[in-house]
Amino acid sequence: MGGAVSAGEDNDELIDHLKAAQYIRSELVEQAFRAVDRADYYLEEFKENAYKDLAWKHGNIHLSAPCIYSEVMEALDLQPGLSFLNLGSGTGYLSSMVGLILGPFGVNHGVELHSDVTEYAKQKLDFFIRTSDSFDKFDFCEPSFVTGNCLEISPGCSQYDRVYCGAGVQKQHEGYMKSLLKVGGVLVMPLEEKLTKITRTGPSAWETKKILAVSFAPLIQPCQSESGESRLVQLPPLAVRSLQDLARIAIRGTIKKVIHQEAVNKNGNRLKNTPRFKRRRVHRRRMETIVFLDKEVFASQISNPSDDTSCRDLEDERQEEEVTTPPDTKPEPPVNFLREKVLSLPLPDPLKYYLLYYREK
């Protein structure tokens, strides 16, 4: 499933296309997508395909198409402080984006069937924390991944505010999936080849919305052990943060406020957002979107609201681009203001590195 939008040359251009095609519709979701580079979750030899709107699979490693992840993120209606359970968490790409929205007081758990993929996800998470400047722009809810079959979660585990299943769910497992959800919570899953959003409005009351037709590999049925017993999956406990960790969160938050206030004062109460890097201007154009519905294919064109402007406007844009973007100009590297501020503090180096989560960059 995929191919609904044009391929991008980098992560930002991919997100531009997803926005233009109305797959990304909210600012929070857009920020999360821009903060986590999809290519970082690919094996090196396959990275040239990272910005195509296509699913990718290599062995047990799998990533859904960007347009699918966009619809999932929008449907989950994420907010800071919520608890999230990712069934079939895979590479951890989706869980990392969700964690940027949940913030430090959320809960972010993932269950993955294959132990090699769980290890892969942990490595990618560690790489993101150590090297990504985006990590310092958000208050992150770090995902925790466990290995096991998501159909064998222990009955004693807590329920969640948001649940996503990344494998095809058959009708007989719908009730089980619903049982993982708190009242007021949202469950998003491929149910009978339709990406479906289910909201629990009461102890036994539900609202169901079909989002779009999809094709997912089905859930793997549990296998009994040699003793004939199932292997129950124990999810991570809902641990309370340590006082030391709470202090780190508070200090980093205070430093961010100081940086923000300094920027406001410097710019005369008009704070400008510094882009991660200077991107090419995206020319207005029609985009073809392919929608798969049942076994038929419908193609439609989504027009930019400004498509009816004159050619003269487009020519003005080209002239402006020529003036503001000199040829062969390399983008300035982004400035990590939080890191610079922490390193300038009169503190022992170990404390500075602790405040930076021991990050390399």
Side-chain angles (χ1 to χ4, degrees):
M1 179 76 189
V5 302
S6 304
E9 293 184 4
D10 54 41
N11 196 65
D12 267 8
E13 191 168 301
L14 171 63
I15 308 313
D16 289 338
H17 293 164
L18 291 169
K19 280 189 64 182
Q22 292 296 303
Y23 284 101
I24 293 178
R25 300 178 290 277
S26 64
E27 185 177 351
L28 273 179
V29 171
E30 178 187 351
Q31 289 175 349
F33 267 87
R34 292 196 189 278
V36 182
D37 196 319
R38 182 175 167 87
D40 290 342
Y41 292 79
Y42 274 67
L43 294 171
E44 192 65 38
E45 60 267 35
F46 299 103
K47 283 191 175 182
E48 70 273 10
N49 296 318
Y51 306 120
K52 296 177 181 178
D53 188 27
L54 297 171
W56 172 65
K57 182 173 175 60
H58 181 77
N60 292 327
I61 302 172
H62 176 263
L63 280 166
S64 295
C67 65
I68 300 298
Y69 282 133
S70 304
E71 290 288 2
V72 169
M73 289 282 286
E74 292 288 356
L76 284 170
D77 189 23
L78 297 162
Q79 301 168 34
L82 296 181
S83 56
F84 172 67
L85 177 61
N86 189 352
L87 304 175
S89 49
T91 65
Y93 171 64
L94 177 68
S95 293
S96 291
M97 290 193 292
V98 169
L100 295 173
I101 298 177
L102 296 183
F105 303 111
V107 175
N108 195 353
H109 293 164
V111 180
E112 169 55 44
L113 181 64
H114 305 286
S115 59
D116 59 326
V117 181
T118 303
E119 185 58 33
Y120 185 86
K122 291 179 179 178
Q123 292 172 3
K124 294 302 180 183
L125 173 63
D126 181 65
F127 179 80
F128 173 73
I129 291 174
R130 287 188 292 104
T131 66
S132 175
D133 280 316
S134 295
F135 179 79
D136 287 331
K137 298 176 183 177
F138 295 82
D139 293 317
F140 188 50
C141 181
E142 185 174 333
S144 297
F145 303 111
V146 297
T147 302
N149 191 308
C150 67
L151 292 175
E152 296 183 298
I153 293 175
S154 172
C157 290
S158 300
Q159 294 176 317
Y160 290 78
D161 297 302
R162 300 291 185 269
V163 178
Y164 170 66
C165 181
V169 178
Q170 298 304 312
K171 193 67 177 177
Q172 64 264 31
H173 297 305
E174 181 180 355
Y176 169 85
M177 294 294 173
K178 289 178 175 179
S179 71
L180 302 172
L181 203 61
K182 293 180 180 179
V183 174
V186 174
L187 165 65
V188 179
M189 60 182 176
L191 180 64
E192 298 184 314
E193 299 190 344
K194 298 287 192 306
L195 188 64
T196 305
K197 175 180 179 179
I198 298 176
T199 304
R200 186 169 193 173
T201 57
S204 56
W206 313 86
E207 289 182 358
T208 302
K209 177 183 177 182
K210 303 293 184 181
I211 300 173
L212 77 163
V214 292
S215 178
F216 277 65
L219 285 169
I220 303 296
Q221 300 301 307
C223 296
Q224 290 187 335
S225 63
E226 294 179 359
S227 63
E229 297 179 356
S230 62
R231 305 176 182 86
L232 290 180
V233 176
Q234 299 295 334
L235 294 173
L238 303 181
V240 177
R241 285 188 176 273
S242 67
L243 185 59
Q244 188 178 34
D245 204 21
L246 291 172
R248 171 164 58 182
I249 293 169
I251 293 170
R252 283 169 62 92
T254 300
I255 294 173
K256 286 181 182 180
K257 290 179 182 177
V258 170
I259 293 170
H260 177 83
Q261 190 58 49
E262 288 176 350
V264 169
N265 294 338
K266 183 178 178 180
N267 293 300
N269 296 326
R270 270 189 83 182
L271 182 61
K272 296 182 179 179
N273 292 323
T274 304
R276 189 158 60 89
F277 56 82
K278 189 174 181 65
R279 301 197 307 274
R280 265 196 335 274
R281 179 182 295 277
V282 178
H283 296 302
R284 294 167 177 157
R285 61 188 181 281
R286 291 181 179 271
M287 300 191 67
E288 287 204 52
T289 297
I290 300 173
V291 179
F292 295 85
L293 187 59
D294 292 328
K295 295 184 179 180
E296 300 182 36
V297 180
F298 297 85
S300 63
Q301 289 188 329
I302 296 181
S303 302
N304 187 292
S306 303
D307 275 344
D308 58 354
T309 58
S310 65
C311 295
R312 182 177 178 181
D313 291 335
L314 197 56
E315 184 61 31
D316 290 342
E317 285 187 356
R318 293 196 184 101
Q319 291 176 0
E320 180 185 345
E321 182 178 2
E322 291 174 2
V323 173
T324 58
T325 311
D328 302 324
T329 299
K330 293 183 179 180
E332 291 293 327
V335 178
N336 188 327
F337 294 104
L338 178 65
R339 180 177 178 81
E340 287 191 351
K341 181 66 74 173
V342 169
L343 292 177
S344 70
L345 295 174
L347 299 172
D349 284 346
L351 181 53
K352 293 179 182 179
Y353 297 142
Y354 178 76
L355 289 173
L356 293 170
Y357 285 84
Y358 306 100
R359 295 177 63 245
E360 289 179 350
K361 199 169 180 180

